[in-house]
């Protein structure tokens, strides 16, 4: 995909063409978001807005026809790109993604409330079959469980968009490193690690959110996304150090597609433990290429 990145960086017209074309095509909105992120990371917000403004047209058209993902992912990716360009810290980007995810959730709840409630009712009817212990709960516990369905479902949908925005930003950052500083993106990903304090905040959001309010239940899936990304980064770092074989990465991404419900929580647990222990060690972070932007 490097030739595409080179085409994007040839000029504003080429970049706008990619952003508009990818956003207009079904299921390729993430590519348009990544192209916009590349322009923003390299040239700044001013130049990026001139390009992304054209991409907003097809994104708004998709919104009009009931498809919100193109617009939300485009704007969310750009917001995260601003954070990455200003701080060059993936830790802050991961934390900022939770705020972006909350905005996604609020937007979905406000604009698409009826479809989400209809889906929640269907899930409510299936709960006794999926969770055998539901019928043994008291009336109050069952009512609380049912009241959590809508916010949790909203959070799950928002977390998918949150993860999509992070992946689009990662693609844009990889393009930037490939063009201007080969190896820089790999170094950033291998070093990605959540310090104990941010990890504790995310863990508290996952565990305590539903107890603080029904609507805050959406924080559980949203706070898990940064931890899962940090867990995947841990495996990349261990493979780079030679402490794990490369087939572990292949197995990770294949199993994520097949056994998401099992592998995803494992990545979250790995990130939590790594935050406390630091498996990769501090010395490994003193070597390697410079920042992926190629400017420092």
């Amino acid at each position: 995909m490097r030739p595409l990145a080179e085409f994007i960086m040839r000029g504003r017209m080429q970049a706008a063409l990619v952003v508009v074309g990818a956003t207009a095509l079904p299921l390729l909105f993430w590519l348009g978001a990544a192209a916009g992120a590349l322009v923003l990371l390299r040239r700044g917000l001013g130049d990026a807005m001139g390009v992304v403004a054209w991409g907003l047209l097809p994104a708004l058209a998709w919104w009009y026809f009931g498809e919100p993902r193109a617009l939300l992912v485009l704007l969310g990716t750009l917001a995260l790109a601003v954070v990455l360009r200003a701080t060059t810290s993936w830790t802050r980007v991961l934390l900022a993604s939770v705020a972006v995810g909350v905005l996604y959730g609020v937007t979905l709840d406000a604009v698409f409330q009826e479809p989400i409630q209809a889906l929640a009712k269907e899930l409510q009817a299936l709960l006794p079959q999926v969770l055998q212990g539901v019928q043994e709960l008291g009336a109050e516990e069952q009512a609380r469980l049912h009241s959590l369905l809508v916010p949790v479902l909203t959070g799950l949908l928002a977390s998918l968009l949150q993860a999509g925005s992070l992946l689009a930003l990662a693609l844009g950052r990889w393009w930037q490193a490939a063009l201007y500083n080969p190896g820089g993106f790999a170094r950033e990903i291998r070093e990605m690690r959540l310090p104990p304090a941010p990890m504790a905040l995310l863990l508290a959001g996952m565990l305590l959110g539903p107890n603080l309010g029904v609507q805050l239940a959406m924080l559980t899936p949203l706070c898990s996304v940064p931890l899962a990304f940090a867990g995947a980064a841990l495996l990349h770092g261990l493979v780079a150090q030679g402490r794990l074989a490369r087939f572990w990465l292949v197995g990770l991404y294949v199993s994520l597609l097949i056994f998401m419900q099992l592998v995803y929580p494992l990545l979250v647990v790995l990130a939590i433990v790594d935050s406390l222990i630091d498996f990769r060690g501090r010395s490994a972070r003193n070597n390697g290429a410079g920042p992926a932007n190629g400017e420092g």
Side-chain angles (χ1 to χ4, degrees):
M1 299 183 73
R2 175 169 177 164
L4 180 58
E6 293 174 345
F7 179 78
I8 293 170
M9 297 308 295
R10 285 181 186 173
R12 183 173 297 182
M13 181 178 298
Q14 290 86 343
L17 181 63
V18 173
V19 173
V20 171
T23 306
L25 293 174
L27 301 180
L28 283 181
F29 55 87
W30 54 271
L31 189 61
L38 171 61
V39 176
L40 194 154
L41 289 170
R42 185 61 185 177
R43 297 180 178 171
L45 183 60
D47 284 353
M49 291 309 298
V51 172
V52 174
W54 291 102
L56 292 176
L57 298 178
L60 289 171
W62 279 116
W63 182 289
Y64 177 79
F65 290 107
E67 174 53 81
R69 291 179 296 176
L71 181 61
L72 293 178
V73 170
L74 178 61
L75 296 178
T77 302
L78 293 178
L80 296 178
V82 170
V83 176
L84 182 57
R85 178 178 170 85
T87 65
T88 65
S89 169
W90 277 97
T91 297
R92 296 186 180 183
V93 170
L94 292 177
L95 294 176
S97 75
V98 177
V100 171
V102 170
L103 293 177
Y104 287 160
V106 172
T107 302
L108 292 174
D109 183 61
V111 180
F112 301 97
Q113 188 176 47
E114 292 184 3
I116 293 176
Q117 289 181 343
L119 182 57
K121 289 182 179 179
E122 295 181 6
L123 292 175
Q124 182 176 337
L126 295 174
L127 274 181
Q129 302 176 15
V130 178
L131 302 176
Q132 297 179 355
V134 170
Q135 295 178 340
E136 300 177 0
L137 296 176
E140 183 177 349
E141 288 80 4
Q142 289 190 34
R144 173 170 173 75
L145 179 61
H146 293 159
S147 68
L148 292 174
L149 280 178
V150 171
V152 169
L153 184 58
T154 303
L156 285 173
L157 295 175
S159 68
L160 293 176
L161 298 177
Q162 175 189 2
S165 296
L166 285 169
L167 291 173
L169 176 61
L171 177 57
R173 189 64 159 178
W174 176 71
W175 278 340
Q176 184 186 18
L179 293 177
Y180 306 109
N181 185 30
F185 175 72
R187 174 178 176 269
E188 287 184 348
I189 294 302
R190 292 164 184 168
E191 292 181 356
M192 186 191 301
R193 174 177 170 268
L194 291 169
M199 179 276 294
L201 288 176
L202 293 171
L203 186 60
M206 288 178 56
L207 301 179
L208 300 180
N211 297 321
L212 298 177
V214 173
Q215 293 302 321
L216 293 179
M218 74 167 61
L219 288 177
T220 297
L222 295 178
C223 290
S224 71
V225 172
L227 292 169
F229 271 77
L234 167 62
L235 293 182
H236 278 270
L238 293 177
V239 169
Q241 291 180 353
R243 297 166 67 179
L244 286 179
R246 187 169 295 274
F247 79 88
W248 280 94
L249 291 180
V250 178
L252 167 66
Y253 293 112
V254 171
S255 59
L256 268 177
L257 295 176
I258 303 175
F259 306 109
M260 171 74 77
Q261 68 276 15
L262 297 177
V263 178
Y264 187 89
L266 178 60
L267 290 177
V268 172
V269 172
L270 285 176
I272 293 172
V273 177
D274 181 55
S275 178
L276 300 174
I277 298 178
D278 189 7
F279 290 109
R280 287 158 286 188
R282 297 182 181 276
S283 60
R285 290 192 290 274
N286 294 326
N287 302 316
N293 56 20
E295 298 173 350

